[in-house]
Structures are given as structure tokens and as C-alpha cells.
Amino acid sequence: MEKRTFEKLGVSASLLGFGCMRFPMQGDGEIDEAAGEQMLTEAYEAGVNYFDTAYPYHNGKSEPFVGKVLNKFKRDSYYLATKLPVWFVKKEEDVRRIFEEQLQRLDKDYVDFYLLHALNAERLADLVDCKVIETCEQLKKEGKIKYLGFSFHDSYEAFEKIAKLYPWDFCQIQYNYMDTDFQAGDKGYALTEELDIPVVVMEPIRGGSLANHSKEILTKFRSQNPDATPSSYALRWVASHPNVKVVLSGMSSLAQMRDNLATFSDFKPLNEQEREIIDEVASILKSRVQNACTACGYCMPCPAKVNIPMNFKAWNDYHTYQSYGAIKFLWEVAIGEESKAKNCVECGKCEKSCPQGIAIRADLKRVQEDLTVTS
Ligand code: SF4
Ligand code: SF4
């Protein structure tokens, strides 16, 4: 198993990390514990030593399950990462109370990598008001947290602000060959190098979207190596960045996990030809995007409560990956009925503020038509 060193922490972690948010499930929606335990055990035995969970994963069941399985192994033989649900922090005392609850759930005395979960510009004020960092520093002094970082989903500008706020031990960002201009993106990655913040990457396969492709794209990938899967290309693209120390994959089947283990047991950075293939694939995927929405949000709020950027994201992703599965959660759950495109009353207010000049009203009609037919 390929290892990377977090130089400033003196930590050597497996380049493949186990993301514990997509375990196999039973029919009743609970974790299939037998299958999950087999995966965690096999990964550990193959050299994976970084396990990443969080308070809300699997409706709160991931932490206790992962903690229980990891109790089979020596505590200092792996790194356990979990995250503070900052959205539940309303006052200073909440930080310690939630953290202690997490230790109990995990059945552990300490957490190696502790992250402030899904930080964004909006949550920054609460972070300061509730003295979140100060409490975490105290927990570090007590030996209950080894390293403090944050995970992130927002614009590059917010990333820069947060990255410069504190001398973080590490950070976790969404990064893959399609998200080079999205969220932290390439600019954010470059900033981590400048600030010497080691990076853990999530969504390297973009929630599975980069694992399944059309025949045209598969042919390109196979031209180099008929046995290499699209996922292995996506993982190797991320892992070819030297400041990336761990690549998390939310593995949900043994087959997927074994493919990932094979990629990282004999890890090779991308060569020039493989980089070119990925560039070509990315440009094919990007050519399927329907409009130029950058999710800047200048068109919001909409008086009819339409979530314009989220509707466009679902629509663009649907066409890009040619898969309803890629947007099912976004369209059916995250965008509530009241925020869907169909609620637009065509007042035209939003179009006056769109820097991309998008014909928002016309495009929202197409969103609703395309995604209704599909769902
Ligand atoms: S045109 Fe439609 S989407 Fe735009 S602000 Fe008016 S109601 Fe909202
Ligand atoms: S203003 Fe335009 S680019 Fe920005 S979120 Fe709205 S539609 Fe997208």
C-alpha cells in the first residue's frame, strides 16, 4: 500500500483512505454490518490505515460501527478521523459536549484527525462566536484530539478566508479532474501548498459519476490499458498531486474496494499520455454542460423561492454524466418541491443580476422538462 507522509505532523498514512459514509446497506436501510466489517478488515489488512467517518454518516450509525470494528486492531496502528457537526454548535459548551458524545460513540479515548465539518463562509461567524477553535485546542492539549483540520464545501474565496484563519494541521477538500474550477479547485489546492496545509481529498470519483462513462470515453481510457477502470484513472489523477496525502473513497462494495486497493498497492502517478486522455475526457464531459451557471448566487433570492443555482447544477450534471443516478439525491431530496424550477413565475428579476447573461426563465423550463421526464 502506497504511503504518504504528512511532513509537518510526522504522520505516515495510506494514500487510500476509507470513507465510511457509503457502507453496503440492508433492505431496511441499516448498515449491512457483516459486509461492512469484511470490507474494513480487508482494507486494514491490505495496509489502509486512515478511516474517515463523521457524526451524521449513516444517520449517526457510522461512528459506532466503525469504532466497534476498529477495536479489533491495535489503537496506534491506524488513524481515525471524524468531524464536528458545526451546524449543531449554538454555544461554546456544545463543542466539548458533542466531541465527548463522539468519543463514546466511537468507543475511543482520542481522535487522530478531527475536522470542523463542511465549513463555509456562513458558518465562520458561529465558529468565532462559539470559540470552536479554542475548545478544540484545549482538547488537543488534553490529548483527545491529535490533529485539527476542516472539511470544506463553498467557493474558492471562502476557502482562502478559512485556510488563512488558523494554522490548520490539515484540510479536506472535494477535488477531482472535473472539479478543478469548483469549490476549492486548482486554486485552492495551490494555496494549500503555499500555506503548507496537507490535503485529504474527498469525492475523487465525484460520488461515482467518474466511474461510469459512455462508450466513447471508455474507449479512450482502454486505449492505454484495457484493464484499467475509469475509477483508477480518477484516483490516480488526484493522487498525482504531491500535497495530497490521503485520497478518501466512500467504498460500498468489495469489488469497488478491491479495485481501489489494486490502484494504490502498486501506485503509479499518471504519465504524460494518461494526462492527455484525462484532459480529453474532461473536455468531452464539459462540452455536455447546458449553460454557464457558476453558482455565484447573484440571482438569489428568487421571490418564488426557486433555488436557481441548484436547479442548474442538477440539470448540468444530469447531461454531463448522462445519468439520472448522478443527480437523484440532489433533484429528489436536496432541492425540495418548493425550490424546483416549476415554481418560476417568470418575473424576470433574476436575469438582471446574472453576470453570465443566462436566459434563466427559458433554461428553468428546460430543467423542469428534462428532469421530470427522467424521474
Ligand atoms: S424569473 Fe423565475 S426564477 Fe427568476 S426571480 Fe422570477 S420567479 Fe424567480
Ligand atoms: S446569477 Fe447566473 S451564474 Fe450566478 S447562480 Fe444565478 S444563474 Fe447561475
Side-chain angles (χ1 to χ4, degrees):
M1 172 60 52
E2 182 80 7
K3 292 265 171 35
R4 287 263 162 98
T5 306
F6 290 68
E7 285 87 1
K8 74 173 184 180
L9 310 182
V11 162
S12 171
S14 54
L15 186 49
L16 175 64
F18 201 123
C20 300
M21 80 296 270
R22 293 194 190 109
F23 284 116
M25 312 266 276
Q26 299 175 155
D28 60 2
E30 296 294 319
I31 297 173
D32 179 340
E33 295 205 357
E37 180 167 349
Q38 190 185 352
M39 289 175 66
L40 285 166
T41 307
E42 209 173 292
Y44 176 86
E45 285 169 353
V48 172
N49 71 354
Y50 192 102
F51 298 88
D52 171 87
T53 181
Y55 190 91
Y57 291 174
H58 283 285
N59 289 323
K61 306 272 178 65
S62 174
E63 284 185 328
F65 172 64
V66 172
K68 185 173 73 180
V69 176
L70 292 180
N71 278 345
K72 299 198 301 188
F73 311 121
K74 257 182 83 201
R75 180 65 187 92
D76 62 359
S77 67
Y78 59 84
Y79 298 108
L80 178 57
T82 194
K83 311 181 188 79
L84 176 73
V86 282
W87 53 92
F88 287 149
V89 175
K90 304 291 176 217
K91 52 186 185 311
E92 192 177 336
E93 307 82 86
D94 290 341
V95 180
R96 183 176 284 271
R97 178 183 57 74
I98 296 170
F99 177 78
E100 295 289 351
E101 184 191 342
Q102 289 180 288
L103 279 188
Q104 280 207 342
R105 283 177 170 203
L106 292 161
D107 191 18
K108 298 285 171 287
D109 300 327
Y110 66 91
V111 169
D112 300 279
F113 288 79
Y114 197 56
L115 302 93
L116 310 185
H117 199 170
L119 271 197
N120 57 25
E122 209 179 298
R123 290 180 180 142
L124 260 185
D126 288 347
L127 193 78
V128 176
D129 291 351
C130 298
K131 299 199 166 69
V132 174
I133 292 180
E134 289 86 336
T135 307
C136 288
E137 277 184 330
Q138 183 54 37
L139 289 164
K140 267 179 93 171
K141 280 191 198 133
E142 294 167 23
K144 293 180 171 177
I145 292 174
K146 301 278 182 205
Y147 311 110
L148 181 63
F150 65 96
S151 68
F152 177 83
H153 294 287
D154 201 343
S155 64
Y156 169 77
E157 289 68 30
F159 181 75
E160 185 174 339
K161 212 184 259 183
I162 294 168
K164 291 181 173 172
L165 179 76
Y166 178 76
W168 303 99
D169 293 322
F170 70 107
C171 71
Q172 184 167 315
I173 59 172
Q174 172 167 336
Y175 198 35
N176 57 65
Y177 66 78
M178 283 299 287
D179 285 330
T180 51
D181 290 323
F182 180 63
Q183 296 189 5
D186 283 345
K187 271 167 76 182
Y189 172 77
L191 185 68
T192 65
E193 286 193 330
E194 190 186 314
L195 299 175
D196 191 21
I197 306 175
V199 175
V200 174
V201 166
M202 57 186 155
E203 301 294 1
I205 311 176
R206 221 178 187 276
S209 306
L210 305 180
N212 302 301
H213 290 289
S214 58
K215 219 169 155 196
E216 178 194 12
I217 290 179
L218 287 178
T219 308
K220 283 193 184 298
F221 280 137
R222 287 180 184 146
S223 67
Q224 276 295 302
N225 174 355
D227 298 325
T229 58
S231 304
S232 69
Y233 275 94
L235 293 169
R236 288 174 59 221
W237 182 90
V238 174
S240 297
H241 293 73
N243 197 36
V244 170
K245 307 302 180 186
V246 176
V247 180
L248 291 174
S249 178
M251 299 173 270
S252 51
S253 74
L254 263 180
Q256 220 176 60
M257 191 187 77
R258 287 176 181 157
D259 183 40
N260 292 350
L261 288 175
T263 302
F264 288 100
S265 306
D266 180 26
F267 175 72
K268 289 185 184 63
L270 293 173
N271 63 34
E272 206 44 50
Q273 278 167 321
E274 289 169 327
R275 278 182 194 285
E276 280 168 20
I277 287 175
I278 289 189
D279 286 349
E280 280 174 42
V281 167
S283 102
I284 293 172
L285 293 175
K286 284 174 185 166
S287 73
R288 297 174 183 165
V289 170
Q290 301 293 298
N291 74 12
C293 177
T294 59
C296 68
Y298 295 152
C299 53
M300 297 287 280
C302 152
K305 297 198 167 56
V306 177
N307 190 325
I308 302 166
M310 291 265 270
N311 275 272
F312 286 156
K313 178 165 172 37
W315 187 47
N316 282 323
D317 282 0
Y318 167 65
H319 284 282
T320 301
Y321 303 107
Q322 300 183 333
S323 153
Y324 182 66
I327 58 135
K328 192 173 190 309
F329 179 81
L330 182 59
W331 181 244
E332 292 182 8
V333 183
I335 306 175
E337 282 304 305
E338 70 290 352
S339 305
K340 283 197 161 88
K342 64 184 176 188
N343 297 299
C344 171
V345 294
E346 301 190 46
C347 69
K349 172 185 163 280
C350 53
E351 290 180 10
K352 297 188 186 102
S353 350
C354 178
Q356 306 296 326
I358 294 172
I360 296 178
R361 287 171 285 188
D363 279 2
L364 284 174
K365 280 190 186 154
R366 294 173 62 206
V367 172
Q368 192 68 44
E369 265 170 38
D370 288 0
L371 300 188
T372 304
V373 169
T374 312
S375 53

